[in-house]
Amino acid sequence: MTTLSSHDFDFLHGPWRVTHRRLRERLCGSDDWQSFDGSCSAHPVLGGQGIVDDNLLNLPDGSYHAVTLRAHDPQTGRWSIWWLDDRHPHRLDVPVVGSFDQGVGTFFADDELDGRAIRVRFRWTDTHTASPLWEQAFSIDAGATWEVNWTMCFHRQHTA
């Protein structure tokens, strides 16, 4: 049985311009942010139980392509989200897993960065607006404190 939560990411369907802002260095107390643009096009898959988006990220030192795959578990109402990019075509990132509550999506994973264990958090907000927001944060103390290190603001692209 499909639950309403299988439609949590419906807001993302279609083409977007994306404004990125990310820390140049992570988990070292840096406040040196880098801004760049990109694009994203998302569509449903898996009979509506998933969504995939194709991304272009235009970093100042070169562009790259990436794919986000999201799969919904109708039994738990939770989503799993994976990232794959063309800089590392043989590495699928550890999935972040979570759900939406009152329009805010929060997803977590345990991973590592430069050999250190970290907790990863993705958060989606403003999903009922024309400019939804995504942020990524890392924690080195099991989630007691978080460093937001990447934000993305989505702007709907209108097709002719």
Side-chain angles (χ1 to χ4, degrees):
M1 178 173 122
T2 301
T3 64
L4 181 58
S5 59
S6 68
H7 295 281
D8 287 335
F9 279 103
D10 284 1
F11 71 90
L12 197 54
H13 295 175
W16 299 88
R17 285 180 305 100
V18 182
T19 304
H20 297 262
R21 188 171 179 260
R22 74 174 189 172
L23 282 177
R24 289 181 191 270
E25 296 184 65
R26 297 171 181 164
L27 298 175
C28 65
S30 175
D31 64 357
D32 185 12
W33 289 87
Q34 178 180 53
S35 296
F36 54 95
D37 69 354
S39 62
C40 174
S41 181
H43 63 274
V45 295
L46 303 172
Q49 292 297 310
I51 179 172
V52 65
D53 55 65
D54 189 18
N55 299 276
L56 173 63
L57 296 91
N58 296 314
L59 278 79
D61 56 345
S63 298
Y64 71 94
H65 290 269
V67 171
T68 309
L69 174 64
R70 297 171 186 86
H72 178 257
D73 181 343
Q75 300 300 317
T76 65
R78 294 175 5 139
W79 288 87
S80 295
I81 305 172
W82 294 266
W83 178 260
L84 173 67
D85 72 54
D86 65 6
R87 298 170 304 166
H88 310 284
H90 302 289
R91 186 179 77 209
L92 190 62
D93 281 355
V94 172
V96 293
V97 178
S99 60
F100 281 78
D101 184 24
Q102 298 182 5
V104 175
T106 308
F107 309 86
F108 296 98
D110 292 313
D111 204 349
E112 71 173 50
L113 179 69
D114 300 329
R116 278 199 297 191
I118 62 169
R119 186 90 168 132
V120 178
R121 181 186 71 200
F122 288 3
R123 182 177 288 158
W124 279 96
T125 59
D126 297 336
T127 59
H128 300 297
T129 73
S131 296
L133 298 171
W134 172 89
E135 75 172 27
Q136 173 180 273
F138 292 165
S139 174
I140 55 174
D141 56 15
T145 60
W146 293 95
E147 175 189 82
V148 174
N149 58 57
W150 196 325
T151 64
M152 296 166 57
C153 183
F154 288 72
H155 312 280
R156 176 71 65 194
Q157 256 187 332
H158 298 284
T159 56

